[in-house]
Amino acid sequence: DVKVTQSSRYLVKRTGEKVFLECVQDMDHENMFWYRQDPGLGLRLIYFSYDVKMKEKGDIPEGYSVSREKKERFSLILESASTNQTSMYLCASSFSTNEKLFFGSGTQLSVL
Amino acid sequence: GNSVTQMEGPVTLSEEAFLTINCTYTATGYPSLFWYVQYPGEGLQLLLKATKADDKGSNKGFEATYRKETTSFHLEKGSVQVSDSAVYFCALILTGGGNKLTFGTGTQLKVEL
């Protein structure tokens, strides 16, 4: 069965901390994505990657960066966490363009 | 720009009731349309999709028809079960737009006995 694994289910950080969210997929997918999910706003795309060492900005990249050193791993980095980055973060992957996305279970991040 | 509008929830139904969740879209090109479902504590998973006008997507008793004339993709099910309780997301992707899905805000469905 296909699997997208996010490293933490719940995370609590302090304002100003550097935060790493990790995502690993075991399906040899080319594409990987980071979304945040907020009540009333749905899912918003932060960054995505079509290949190793390649990244593109989504709709809300400010305050975030990403890293994709290996095909199976896509990391989201909050350089200096702020309270408005408290959210549910969802990682997803897909094999190719227009193929369905497979999602991880999400990381609920709270920034205090 | 591209956008997806869904009816607000929560929608509360009794078991075996008929379900409709409305979804309309705005797109600059020719989108493919999707419904994703998120069960409690889980990530999203694809429920069904339609790639061109008049296509009907179906899965697990759910159906949605791609209506270009009304720019809609309403989700329907004839008889809901308690296990259908979840959040449902309508989404679109433009042909040639890579894999950048645009999601609606989600509609929570609660089914009671």
Side-chain angles (χ1 to χ4, degrees):
Chain A
D1 215 7
V2 297
K3 205 161 186 183
V4 178
T5 303
Q6 295 184 229
S7 53
S8 304
R9 184 74 180 96
Y10 298 96
L11 211 52
V12 180
K13 295 292 181 181
R14 298 226 174 260
T15 303
E17 277 193 79
K18 190 169 186 176
V19 181
F20 293 86
L21 302 183
E22 305 287 343
C23 175
V24 177
Q25 50 95 2
D26 64 359
M27 298 164 281
D28 201 35
H29 282 173
E30 301 291 331
N31 308 317
M32 295 190 75
F33 306 82
W34 275 106
Y35 288 87
R36 64 178 282 177
Q37 181 180 8
D38 299 289
L41 297 176
L43 274 73
R44 294 178 291 168
L45 182 63
I46 305 171
Y47 267 96
F48 60 104
S49 168
Y50 288 142
D51 202 351
V52 176
K53 297 191 186 295
M54 178 272 175
K55 61 185 179 184
E56 284 196 33
K57 294 180 180 178
D59 300 318
I60 52 163
E62 296 79 19
Y64 303 94
S65 62
V66 290
S67 172
R68 194 165 180 203
E69 296 296 320
K70 294 184 178 180
K71 190 175 185 180
E72 66 270 18
R73 186 180 297 271
F74 192 37
S75 304
L76 180 69
I77 303 157
L78 286 65
E79 296 290 342
S80 178
S82 63
T83 54
N84 63 12
Q85 292 178 309
T86 291
S87 185
M88 171 68 78
Y89 290 87
L90 292 170
C91 175
S93 70
S94 69
F95 180 68
S96 63
T97 302
N98 285 343
E99 290 294 314
K100 72 176 184 180
L101 267 61
F102 291 86
F103 282 84
S105 300
T107 296
Q108 179 64 52
L109 172 67
S110 297
V111 182
L112 306 178
Chain B
N2 306 316
S3 66
V4 176
T5 302
Q6 291 181 234
M7 60 188 289
E8 287 193 22
V11 173
T12 303
L13 296 174
S14 298
E15 204 170 39
E16 299 184 0
F18 185 86
L19 168 71
T20 300
I21 300 178
N22 290 337
C23 170
T24 57
Y25 67 89
T26 302
T28 53
Y30 300 98
S32 295
L33 301 173
F34 304 81
W35 278 100
Y36 279 81
V37 58
Q38 185 179 33
Y39 298 103
E42 298 183 13
L44 281 72
Q45 54 185 277
L46 180 66
L47 181 59
L48 53 85
K49 71 175 186 180
T51 57
K52 61 183 188 298
D54 299 324
D55 266 2
K56 177 185 284 188
S58 61
N59 186 26
K60 300 181 181 181
F62 290 89
E63 292 182 342
T65 301
Y66 188 145
R67 302 286 188 198
K68 188 178 178 182
E69 62 276 11
T70 54
T71 62
S72 65
F73 192 54
H74 304 321
L75 183 68
E76 297 181 335
K77 187 175 185 183
S79 176
V80 294
Q81 306 300 312
V82 171
S83 57
D84 294 326
S85 298
V87 182
Y88 293 82
F89 291 90
C90 186
L92 69 81
I93 190 169
L94 286 182
T95 303
N99 235 346
K100 288 184 64 175
L101 276 171
T102 298
F103 284 90
T105 54
T107 302
Q108 185 175 11
L109 170 66
K110 297 179 181 178
V111 181
E112 301 172 336
L113 290 170

